[in-house]
Amino acid sequence: MSSNTQLFFIPIVFGGIMIPIVLRNTVKEILRGLRKQNNIQIILGMTPEYLAILSAIELSIAGILGTICGSILSTPFAQSFYNFLVSTQGIHQFPLMTIRFSFQAFLITLLLITIVTLYSGYISSRRTFYKIQKDIENINVKNKDRFYYLKVVFMLILNISIVAYFLSLSPERLGINSFGTLSILLIFSEIISISILINVCGKIILLFFSKIFNTISNRFSLSLLNLATYSINEHYDTFKKIYIPITIISIFVSGFSSLLIDLPDGGDSGTRTSNMVIFLSAPILIALANTICMMLLLQEKETFEIKQLFILGLRPLDIFLKKVFEILIYSFTMLLISLMCNFMLSLMFVRITQLFNKTMIWLNIWLPSLLLSLAIFVLMSIVSMIKVINTKWDILEFNIDTDI
């Protein structure tokens, strides 16, 4: 590299690709929370224009606070990131470099975040508030995506086209050397296309497997499993907001691990490790931040559901088992989606290894999905257990204050 600062362009690019894919639902959930506070004001006669400006300002304040915290943390984290690469590759590949806080970069970032949050918050909120006002006037609520199936079909065609071109005779016509670079670009494109497809049609897949578990629960009279499938059908957004980003990361890890190990220029173990950090650090951090944020945003809803089930007569142990069944269905669906997508990627890697007379290492593409699905099942089960344990179960005790 002519400059070692070019190294940071790769995490920025991949982080930029992942932000709209992963964080879209988180931002929508935040905006939904802001709108709930303002919906009653529309009914009372407040103009949507004023409320849209108010929501945009609220969102921009949160963005400014996040920018300040992120700018403070970014310098030590970036330095640790670079020191890791130096320790794995040596100073001949990555010269020693000190990363200092840049006030100019901080101001530019703060300005960009403020503009983006103000504009997007205003446009999105304005559209929603005017729709709410119209629905209130017409007493008619419709919330359907007319182009949903069109988007699913388009993404399916795009994924099939990439894989079909990869499996065609184009490599032989282009030559191995020319196809080497093209193959990497096609694999990157396929991973991103698969991620978008999962984000679009994840709901259909989840409801399909939920129906299968519902049939099993009715067959063997498993009431808690039946209740879990009902809750999933009612609150399927949880899968889209928490589990789909993790599924996308699983595909990223599987794809890049195979790309860096199976190909001839994968390098030694140190190079592969540093390359994995460079390519996957930003997407993984974004998905982790999204998961934590969504769990906090959904905390109030889950606490209300736990207390409601307790009022209806379920014991704390039954509530915990019901949550475990939900997590099992989510994790099982996440695993199958990952494996199906990995199968598509494996066809491309088999083609590459044939061209370079290598052997496909199947473990690299299947193992990350298995481990990540198991890890998320265990982690979310522990989180649910902590929530049940920390719930106050004295909600049926009524205190009557009498003035004498």
Side-chain angles (χ1 to χ4, degrees), residues 4 19 51 60 99 143 199 255 272 282-283 321 325 364 370 372 377 386:
N4 49 10
I19 282 176
L51 293 176
S60 64
I99 302 174
N143 187 23
N199 198 47
R272 291 195 298 266
L321 291 177
F325 281 133
N364 298 330
L370 293 170
L372 196 56
F377 172 75
I386 294 174

Side-chain angles (χ1 to χ4, degrees), residues 2-14:
S2 59
S3 172
N4 49 10
T5 56
Q6 294 177 5
L7 172 70
F8 293 92
F9 291 144
I10 298 176
I12 289 173
V13 170
F14 279 89

Side-chain angles (χ1 to χ4, degrees), residues 226-276:
N226 195 15
L227 181 60
T229 57
Y230 175 79
S231 298
I232 288 174
N233 292 337
E234 288 292 311
H235 309 291
Y236 57 81
D237 281 351
T238 302
F239 180 75
K240 187 174 184 179
K241 296 169 182 176
I242 295 181
Y243 290 87
I244 283 184
I246 300 174
T247 306
I248 293 173
I249 289 301
S250 171
I251 296 168
F252 262 77
V253 173
S254 300
F256 281 110
S257 63
S258 296
L259 185 65
L260 296 173
I261 294 175
D262 292 330
L263 294 184
D265 56 351
D268 56 20
S269 58
T271 302
R272 291 195 298 266
T273 302
S274 60
N275 286 336
M276 289 287 286

Side-chain angles (χ1 to χ4, degrees), residues 398-404:
F398 297 97
N399 296 321
I400 302 177
D401 295 330
T402 305
D403 293 334
I404 300 177

Side-chain angles (χ1 to χ4, degrees), residues 16-177:
I17 293 173
M18 290 299 296
I19 282 176
I21 298 176
V22 174
L23 296 186
R24 179 171 175 266
N25 292 312
T26 303
V27 176
K28 290 175 69 175
E29 185 68 25
I30 294 173
L31 285 174
R32 187 179 293 112
L34 294 176
R35 290 170 194 142
K36 281 183 179 179
Q37 303 172 15
N38 299 324
N39 284 352
I40 188 66
Q41 300 183 44
I42 294 181
I43 299 175
L44 296 176
M46 195 74 70
T47 63
E49 197 76 30
Y50 172 79
L51 293 176
I53 296 174
L54 180 62
S55 296
I57 293 174
E58 291 176 334
L59 188 64
S60 64
I61 291 174
I64 290 171
L65 294 176
T67 302
I68 294 173
C69 296
S71 299
I72 294 173
L73 295 174
S74 63
T75 302
F77 271 96
Q79 185 67 64
S80 301
F81 175 87
Y82 189 77
N83 290 340
F84 169 79
L85 297 177
V86 173
S87 64
T88 57
Q89 298 300 302
I91 59 176
H92 297 291
Q93 294 290 334
F94 299 102
L96 295 175
M97 180 175 67
T98 302
I99 302 174
R100 297 183 179 89
F101 179 80
S102 171
F103 188 71
Q104 180 183 6
F106 166 72
L107 289 179
I108 293 174
T109 306
L110 184 64
L111 180 63
L112 286 173
I113 292 294
T114 304
I115 292 174
V116 169
T117 51
L118 271 174
Y119 177 77
S120 59
Y122 171 75
I123 294 298
S124 178
S125 299
R126 184 176 182 272
R127 185 190 308 116
T128 301
F129 286 134
Y130 270 111
K131 182 178 182 298
I132 292 173
Q133 186 184 53
K134 185 177 180 180
D135 291 338
I136 291 173
E137 294 173 353
N138 299 332
I139 316 297
N140 184 22
V141 179
K142 293 182 180 180
N143 187 23
K144 293 183 179 180
D145 186 354
R146 293 177 295 176
F147 303 103
Y148 178 77
Y149 292 104
L150 181 63
K151 289 188 288 188
V152 172
V153 172
F154 174 77
M155 293 309 304
L156 281 172
I157 294 175
L158 179 61
N159 281 272
I160 294 173
S161 299
I162 294 175
V163 176
Y165 177 79
F166 208 95
L167 300 179
S168 66
L169 298 177
S170 297
E172 284 76 4
R173 291 196 295 264
L174 291 174
I176 293 179
N177 293 332

